[in-house]
Amino acid sequence: RDHVFAPRLSGWTPYGTLEMAGPMLFQLAQRQCESACDIGAGNGRLAAWLSRAWGMQVEAYDIFLPAHPEFDNIQLFDGRQLPQPDKSTDCAIFSFVLHHCRHFEAQRALLREAARISRKFIFIA
């Protein structure tokens, strides 16, 4: 657990979505990804944690900008097409996102975008 939830972040106790995404984070830790795209980042908690705990280069996107962001650079996107080049990140991450899509076509569009931008893996929690 200390390998995934790095103790070097003094005073930071993972909670909420980080705890629920634990199995995904264990897999991510084993894959040695250096960059990630957090799709549907919400307030940016996961993006902030990956950046601070593991030093990953993280891009975070959502269809709304949060009122109280936990990550400094959450970018807006239209919910279908990510403004990133092909194969530009090691992994794409959906952390409790796809169930918010009202239609299967929106889920399919997001999954295709994740496959387009990801060099290695797509993680879904």
Side-chain angles (χ1 to χ4, degrees), residues 87-92 113-122:
K87 306 303 178 197
S88 58
T89 189
D90 288 337
C91 63
E113 279 296 283
R116 181 184 66 79
I117 66 166
S118 179
R119 287 188 291 265
K120 296 180 180 180
F121 304 103
I122 299 171

Side-chain angles (χ1 to χ4, degrees), residues 1 9-10 27 29 31-32 40-41 44 46 66 73 86 98 101-102 114 121:
R1 181 178 167 114
L9 294 175
S10 73
Q27 290 297 319
R31 304 296 187 251
Q32 299 177 346
L46 180 62
N73 191 23
D86 295 354
L98 293 175
C101 298
R102 289 184 168 200
F121 304 103

Side-chain angles (χ1 to χ4, degrees), residues 1-7 21-22 24-27 29-30 49 53-54:
R1 181 178 167 114
D2 284 348
H3 174 69
V4 174
F5 298 114
M24 178 183 69
L25 293 174
F26 278 107
Q27 290 297 319
Q30 301 300 313
W49 188 84
W54 290 345

Side-chain angles (χ1 to χ4, degrees), residues 89-101:
T89 189
D90 288 337
C91 63
I93 300 171
F94 295 100
S95 182
F96 306 101
V97 171
L98 293 175
H99 66 282
H100 291 290
C101 298

Side-chain angles (χ1 to χ4, degrees), residues 38-92:
D38 185 2
I39 304 167
N43 67 2
R45 179 173 295 153
L46 180 62
W49 188 84
L50 291 172
S51 177
R52 293 177 192 158
W54 290 345
M56 291 180 75
Q57 178 183 341
V58 182
E59 297 285 333
Y61 295 95
D62 206 302
I63 59 171
F64 299 108
L65 290 179
H68 304 286
E70 294 183 26
F71 186 66
D72 294 333
N73 191 23
I74 299 172
Q75 302 173 55
L76 283 174
F77 84 115
D78 65 5
R80 291 186 176 264
Q81 188 171 10
L82 293 162
Q84 281 199 327
D86 295 354
K87 306 303 178 197
S88 58
T89 189
D90 288 337
C91 63

